[in-house]
Amino acid sequence: MSVATPSPENTTVLCKSSDCVTDPTPAPGTVYDDVLEGLAYVNYILLPTMLVLGIGGNVLTIIVMTSPKFRQLTSRLYLIFLALSDITLLLTQPFNKMFIIKMIGFDVRALSDVGCKVFFWFFRTGKMTSSWFVVCLCIERFVAVWFPLKAKIISTQKSAVLQIAGVYLVIGTFNGFWTKNSKILPDGNCYPDYFNKSNKMEAEEYKAMLTAGSSLYSLVPLCLLATVTPLIVFKLALHRRQRQRLTTATKGDNSQAVKTTAMLIGIVAAYFVLVLPITLLHNIAFYMGMKSFGDNPKGFLIFRDVSQILEQINYGINFYLYVLTSTQFRQQLKVYLTENKIVQMIRQSTVFSRNKSAATGVSKNTAEDPKMDQRV
């Protein structure tokens, strides 16, 4: 009986009793392969798009929220730091993409063990702080809508700064411990979720960290948002019914609350839809004994790619939600884009160039016809 030799890549080997025949025709692709190929093209387009539009939008958000018009708005601090967290996520996202790793030829995150841990510290801290700044914003709106007379005492700039500092302290410390599982494996790649499966104690420790991390990232924030947001909407509905009996001044205050809260509801809705899948991904990977970013069954790879796409959109979409839901934000953005010094310098330069071109044209015509300056 003859022994079958290894077949070339992308060929199908058909073996019968005592002989093997190598069919040069590639094995037909499955639906999973087609979907993965389509998602790869989506990633090729989405990644640079989000880097440009997402980072640009978040930078504009920071600029608008630091303008004098929003200076007295407590929620602006949460929006500024939310934008900073989103920028951090967008900057780190490319290094988690397999096609970027293949394009570069190596995993940049794996240049050193310390670099691997530092990368995932920034990555996880950006994700978690982004979630909690949405929660802080939601709670601030809850106080403003339900307790308007006490809002100026409870929701102050100082309390907002303390909350933001507390979020960074708790989440930063937790992620410092969690980076223990971020390691470089023999394949040369940096993984965030390595642990020794044969070591029961280590597996239990990682399970506890994953549960706590998932809770900090999305499970607890989702529960809080699901509880507080409907209460805000309910109270605003009551305000709307009572609007006929309110004074003009109170109407203005209520209108402002409605506008700010509409912006919040857009953020919360996007958060639910875009963040929940990536949370499920990490937990499913753990309980199925797989690495979230390793070689896995194609069905799981599809789920992973879709989850990453949705998560990436979440960190680049907030600016556009503000534009759609807030008239005040749009107005201030328009003022910035039309009246800032850079735009004015460009306009002045353009006008100067046009005037210079026109003057040059007139001088040229005068030189050609000396009698032109005598004509009426």
Side-chain angles (χ1 to χ4, degrees), residues 109-122 179 182-184 190:
R109 304 168 302 175
L111 291 176
S112 68
D113 188 60
V114 174
C116 177
K117 295 182 184 298
V118 169
F119 174 85
F120 280 108
W121 184 90
F122 275 102
T179 55
S182 300
K183 294 184 179 180
I184 302 173
C190 171

Side-chain angles (χ1 to χ4, degrees), residues 94-105:
F95 302 104
N96 285 329
K97 301 293 185 181
M98 293 305 299
F99 76 90
I100 293 292
I101 295 175
K102 292 179 180 178
M103 185 184 302
I104 297 174

